[in-house]
Amino acid sequence: MSWLRGWRERRDARRVRRMGFTAEDWEAAIADWPLQARYQGAERQALMTLSLRFLARKSVASGGGFAVTDAMCLKVATMACVPILKLGLEWYDGWYTVILYEGAFIPNRPHRTDDGVVHGRGPVLSGEAWHQGPVILSWEAVCEAGGASNVVIHEMSHKLDMRRNGANGSPPLHPGMDQRQWHDTFTRCYEALHRDYVTQRHMPVDAYALTGPGEFFAVCSEAFFESPDSLYRDWPALYRLLAQFYRQGERP
């Protein structure tokens, strides 16, 4: 509803003013992330505004006693907002916290491995997104963004995917997008990646994408933003679908 959207935007604006971040603070926080240079002019201003509104709605909490700084919060928020720049902050509704560890972390919960054995604690992770819960990140992994990798975009892609029947590689599509085309294209590329992996040929994205459809979507989303030329060269049909979904990076 328009009145609710307006109320939330006014509330965000009040919170942003109280935080007191300047444009210079934001620029300094993201200066060492190469992807940010792609956004200039009005898009850059929109990205900064959205990033500050993200911090007005989400808290960034310390994991394991890690000393989280304002600059870290600004960088994580900006990376998180790149996928939703043309979608809107409402796509991240329903959860409220980012937990930031200094390095990799081990979830304190039971974990079942492929052989069916249940272990008392989970595997070592650099990022994790919980359904209707927090996003957990390793700051070391955040700082390694580049190439075709970005742990923040990866986990935020899971959050978008979870808006429709869980993280299964099938996020809610926009009107006019064809669900069958999405399924067929992603399945075809997934199967091609598996063949490349088995035959040890060049793989367009990291082999971690073969973990399952949800991870395939998240890894491809990383590549879409961090290495768009390579993804377009190898899988143009999949690239175009991601461009439609994220409403960015359209190509002929």
Side-chain angles (χ1 to χ4, degrees), residues 10-219:
R10 290 191 295 273
R11 182 195 61 184
D12 291 349
R14 290 194 297 270
R15 291 178 176 177
V16 167
R17 285 194 296 271
R18 286 199 297 268
M19 287 189 295
F21 293 127
T22 65
E24 290 74 19
D25 294 332
W26 181 74
E27 291 285 356
I30 66 170
D32 63 348
W33 180 35
L35 189 153
Q36 53 81 21
R38 194 180 307 154
Y39 296 92
Q40 296 296 328
E43 273 195 332
R44 192 173 187 84
Q45 180 63 42
L47 180 59
M48 181 181 71
T49 300
L50 193 63
S51 303
L52 296 178
R53 289 181 59 211
F54 177 94
L55 291 175
R57 295 192 188 183
K58 317 289 185 189
S59 63
V60 181
S62 166
F66 180 47
V68 177
T69 67
D70 287 347
M72 293 175 188
C73 295
L74 287 167
K75 186 171 187 177
V76 168
T78 304
M79 289 181 172
C81 286
V82 161
I84 60 163
L85 180 59
K86 301 300 177 67
L87 302 179
L89 196 53
E90 288 69 29
W91 279 71
Y92 287 159
D93 280 354
W95 61 278
Y96 306 97
T97 308
V98 175
I99 301 173
L100 196 59
Y101 283 85
E102 181 175 8
F105 55 91
I106 301 175
N108 188 19
R109 54 177 169 75
H111 171 70
R112 184 186 298 273
T113 51
D114 292 340
D115 57 7
V117 177
V118 177
H119 301 267
R121 304 182 75 184
V124 177
L125 300 175
S126 60
E128 186 174 43
W130 292 12
H131 183 59
Q132 296 183 330
V135 170
I136 309 172
L137 300 167
S138 154
W139 176 247
E140 289 180 358
V142 171
C143 293
E144 292 170 356
S149 174
N150 188 306
V151 68
V152 181
I153 290 176
H154 183 104
E155 300 306 333
M156 295 301 166
S157 299
H158 282 318
K159 281 295 190 182
L160 299 178
D161 194 6
M162 289 173 183
R163 290 180 62 86
R164 181 176 181 269
N165 300 326
N168 58 8
S170 183
L173 301 182
H174 307 300
M177 293 188 69
D178 188 326
Q179 186 68 50
R180 173 57 62 182
Q181 181 187 23
W182 180 279
H183 175 271
D184 291 350
T185 301
F186 272 75
T187 299
R188 185 167 60 251
C189 292
Y190 182 92
E191 292 172 348
L193 185 68
H194 185 265
R195 289 193 298 272
D196 291 340
Y197 177 77
V198 170
T199 57
Q200 298 184 338
R201 292 188 297 182
H202 162 73
M203 293 188 294
V205 297
D206 190 89
Y208 185 67
L210 293 172
T211 305
E215 296 299 345
F216 186 77
F217 169 68
V219 171

